């Protein structure tokens, strides 16, 4: 079957010129009997993803500029051929300049307060004279590494717990203008994610989520936060380390008790958490979405799905593809939300939502559930310690390799240290936790077991779901409010060798996802599944989810979702098929989201270890 949606970096240009409908045979199949799949015709391929992810700068810092110009010519050809590329709504102007994102100019920090919410400042106090010092890593690791322990284990060490509470109590009692205060520290996060910080003459927004900056920014944020806490209790425990919320193991899949015990008199307690979820025995649902409390899954099923999710995100779904793991490149001049990595979407975003929804859980987020206030819940830092531990495990245990691109390594952030000194930190300073003086307790990792590898729901059924071709949507992006399925061509319809697969993931891209930043959004993606009753989350047909935690500001976000499907295609025995059927099921924010395009392509971020 020759499909109009087949894409590879260059061959797709001709398909832009003459978009053709799906082959005729698809048009009739659904009119008889009950259609298994609803439909959208002609969702265009996402052409921009390959271009914006290309990583030619590994060797020469000037190389990306050359790469960008070449890319631009491709784009222009695409536009001349009918404008689908432009309509895709991806990276409006990624080619203006390519360089690392510079540190924010604190002097020009702007509040993005919603007029309906009483002023709650994000910007740091402007010092009279800003003196910034470059952060220096030690030449070798310190003799004693601070050990971050699982919260459920640390809870048994009552001296540790008392010290931790005392450190937070002291932090909360500092003057709010002190950059080390609990309030100022929470606002560090607010300013970096609510559009307060800008760079360059055009005053472009700095954003630390939905891109490759997610892991390094949060690692260094926690680093300074932990140093401040340790300095506040130095007479008690100068080697103080944060605990991690071990939500990836059954013993840790609950709101950690140290954050709840004794209620309001506990400095680690936060009244703004979902009350249903703080009850003992309420398991964390790593696939949670706002308002999904009434789903009928029992505790055992949620626990099982959580472990399948972890296995998929850390092993089969990522397979050392650096964009899938870290998130997509974000260079100076780029769209600030180029696309999140696997763990950022699930379980990072979902655990935020699970923790920080209002009591009836339909009203939206409080504290953890909305970006500007997330850092006001002490459990934020334990949650992020576990997110950080995923990067640590990926490298130290599974052999993942950090990104070599200089635009990533030289991106800079500013943080105040324990001496109230403003420090300039580069991403390259964040790579080695031992040099930063800490490590993670080694605990059991249940999800590495092959029992948590998804299996096909329809292992022998080679009858592909049927797709009715219509031209309902000829304008992109379109607003999308119910389950849709679309047939998508594959770039290499043959069985690839194991070494090809190890080198390069086959990636499903849902592009030009647009919505107002202050909305909650979740949708699920299935491949070759029954759209009327999508499979469980332990099945290979379930490819993954897109999840957005709301911001306070309402500006429109444009981003994309990328899911590694190499293993999935193997499980579904679809490797030799020229196309698959992709089903998108909206769960949260229904009717608020627009979509532009969908593509399957070979990843532009291949395994760097090979
Ligand atoms: Cu900066 Cu968990 O978010």
């Amino acid at each position: 079957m020759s499909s109009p949606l087949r894409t590879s970096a260059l061959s797709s240009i001709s398909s832009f010129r003459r978009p053709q409908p799906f082959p005729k045979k698809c048009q009739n199949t659904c009119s008889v009997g009950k259609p298994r799949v609803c439909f959208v015709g002609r969702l265009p391929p996402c052409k921009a993803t390959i271009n914006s992810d290309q990583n030619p700068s590994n060797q020469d810092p000037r190389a990306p500029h050359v790469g960008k110009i070449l890319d631009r010519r491709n784009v222009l050809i695409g536009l001349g051929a009918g404008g689908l590329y432009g309509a895709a709504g991806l990276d409006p102007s990624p080619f203006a300049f390519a360089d690392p994102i510079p540190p924010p100019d604190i002097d020009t920090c702007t509040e993005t307060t919603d007029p309906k919410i009483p002023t709650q400042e994000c910007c740091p106090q402007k010092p009279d004279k800003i003196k910034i010092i470059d952060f220096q890593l030690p030449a070798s690791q310190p003799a004693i590494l601070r050990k971050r322990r699982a919260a459920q284990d640390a809870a048994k060490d009552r001296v540790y717990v008392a010290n931790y509470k005392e450190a937070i109590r002291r932090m909360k009692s500092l003057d709010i203008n002190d950059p080390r205060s609990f309030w100022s520290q929470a606002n560090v996060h607010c300013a970096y994610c609510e559009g307060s910080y800008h760079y360059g003459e055009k005053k472009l927004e700095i954003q630390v989520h939905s891109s490759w900056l997610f892991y390094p920014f949060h690692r260094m944020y926690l680093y300074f936060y932990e140093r401040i806490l340790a300095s506040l209790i130095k007479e008690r425990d100068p080697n103080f380390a944060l605990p991690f919320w071990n939500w990836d193991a059954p013993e840790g899949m609950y709101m950690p008790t140290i954050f709840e015990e004794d209620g309001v008199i506990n400095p680690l307690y936060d009244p703004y958490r979902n009350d249903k979820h703080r009850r003992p025995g309420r398991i964390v649902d790593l696939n949670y979405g706002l308002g999904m409390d009434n789903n009928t899954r029992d505790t055992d099923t949620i626990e099982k799905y959580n472990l399948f999710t972890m296995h998929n995100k850390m092993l089969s779904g990522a397979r050392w593809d650096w964009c899938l793991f870290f998130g997509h490149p974000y260079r100076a001049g780029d769209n600030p939300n180029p696309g999140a990595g696997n763990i950022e979407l699930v379980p990072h975003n979902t655990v935020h939502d699970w923790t920080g929804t209002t009591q009836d859980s339909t009203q939206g987020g409080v504290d953890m559930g909305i970006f500007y206030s997330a850092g006001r819940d002490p459990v934020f830092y334990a949650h992020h310690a576990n997110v950080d531990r995923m990067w640590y495990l990926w490298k130290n245990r599974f052999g993942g390799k950090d990104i070599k691109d200089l635009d990533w390594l030289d991106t800079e952030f500013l943080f105040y240290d324990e001496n109230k000194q403003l420090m300039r930190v580069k991403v390259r300073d964040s790579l080695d936790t031992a040099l930063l003086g800490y490590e993670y307790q080694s605990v059991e990792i249940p999800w590495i077991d092959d029992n948590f590898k998804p299996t096909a729901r329809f292992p022998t059924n080679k009858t592909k779901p049927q797709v009715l071709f219509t031209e309902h949507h000829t304008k992109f992006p379109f607003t999308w409010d119910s389950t849709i399925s679309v047939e998508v061509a594959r770039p290499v319809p043959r069985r690839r060798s194991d070494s090809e697969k190890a080198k390069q993931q086959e990636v499903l891209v849902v592009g030009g996802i647009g919505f107002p930043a202050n909305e909650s959004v979740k949708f699920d993606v299935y491949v070759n599944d029954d759209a009327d009753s999508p499979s469980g989350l332990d099945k290979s047909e379930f490819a993954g989810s897109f999840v957005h935690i709301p911001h306070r500001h309402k500006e429109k976000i444009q981003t994309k979702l990328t899911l590694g499907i190499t293993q999935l295609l193997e499980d579904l025995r679809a490797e030799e098929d020229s196309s698959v059927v992709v089903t998108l099921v909206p769960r949260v924010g229904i009717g608020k989201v627009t979509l532009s395009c969908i593509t399957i392509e070979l990843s532009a971020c291949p395994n760097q270890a090979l």
Side-chain angles (χ1 to χ4, degrees), residues 262-290:
D262 307 328
V264 288
I265 59 162
N266 175 357
L268 304 177
Y269 179 84
D270 182 355
Y272 302 108
R273 290 177 190 148
N274 184 319
D275 269 342
K276 289 185 185 137
H277 296 165
R278 61 165 97 237
R279 292 189 199 138
R282 239 341 162 97
I283 189 163
V284 182
D285 183 352
L286 300 187
N287 292 287
Y288 184 77
L290 185 71

Side-chain angles (χ1 to χ4, degrees), residues 144-298:
I144 300 177
L145 293 179
R146 306 185 298 279
K147 185 174 277 185
R148 293 185 182 168
R149 285 183 288 171
Q152 73 273 12
D153 269 4
K156 297 175 204 142
D157 178 348
R158 297 317 291 178
V159 175
Y160 169 81
V161 173
N163 288 344
Y164 184 20
K165 290 179 180 172
E166 178 61 14
I168 296 285
R169 195 192 63 73
R170 290 182 188 179
M171 195 183 224
K172 285 183 170 174
S173 61
L174 292 173
D175 186 286
I176 61 164
N177 292 324
D178 185 322
R180 302 168 304 160
S181 70
F182 187 79
W183 188 260
S184 299
Q185 284 294 306
N187 282 350
V188 169
H189 191 255
C190 182
Y192 271 104
C193 66
E194 283 285 357
S196 292
Y197 282 147
H198 301 89
Y199 65 95
E201 270 172 26
K202 291 190 185 153
K203 300 255 168 290
L204 298 173
E205 174 191 341
I206 297 184
Q207 176 55 255
V208 293
H209 303 88
S210 290
S211 80
W212 67 8
L213 298 188
F214 175 73
Y215 278 111
F217 169 82
H218 291 87
R219 173 168 285 178
M220 295 314 293
Y221 178 33
L222 258 64
Y223 170 83
F224 287 107
Y225 188 84
E226 187 176 76
R227 297 317 303 135
I228 292 167
L229 291 175
S231 78
L232 292 173
I233 51 163
K234 56 175 174 289
E235 83 288 1
R236 291 170 165 236
D237 181 6
N239 287 314
F240 170 80
L242 290 164
F244 64 87
W245 181 358
N246 191 194
W247 33 245
D248 59 306
E251 315 77 69
M253 285 178 191
Y254 298 88
M255 176 71 71
T257 53
I258 56 172
F259 293 90
E260 283 292 321
E261 59 197 10
D262 307 328
V264 288
I265 59 162
N266 175 357
L268 304 177
Y269 179 84
D270 182 355
Y272 302 108
R273 290 177 190 148
N274 184 319
D275 269 342
K276 289 185 185 137
H277 296 165
R278 61 165 97 237
R279 292 189 199 138
R282 239 341 162 97
I283 189 163
V284 182
D285 183 352
L286 300 187
N287 292 287
Y288 184 77
L290 185 71
M292 284 171 57
D293 282 307
N294 301 329
N295 78 34
T296 48
R297 283 176 206 152
D298 55 65

Side-chain angles (χ1 to χ4, degrees), residues 340-360:
N342 279 333
I343 294 287
E344 180 180 350
L345 293 173
V346 177
H348 164 262
N349 283 357
T350 47
V351 172
H352 269 277
D353 272 342
W354 185 85
T355 310
T357 45
T358 38
Q359 185 153 12
D360 76 357

Side-chain angles (χ1 to χ4, degrees), residues 466-484:
Q466 298 155 347
V467 179
L468 177 62
F469 174 73
T470 68
E471 298 221 26
H472 273 202
H473 299 288
T474 48
K475 281 214 170 63
F476 302 97
F478 71 97
T479 304
W480 157 61
D481 56 10
S482 56
T483 297
I484 57 169

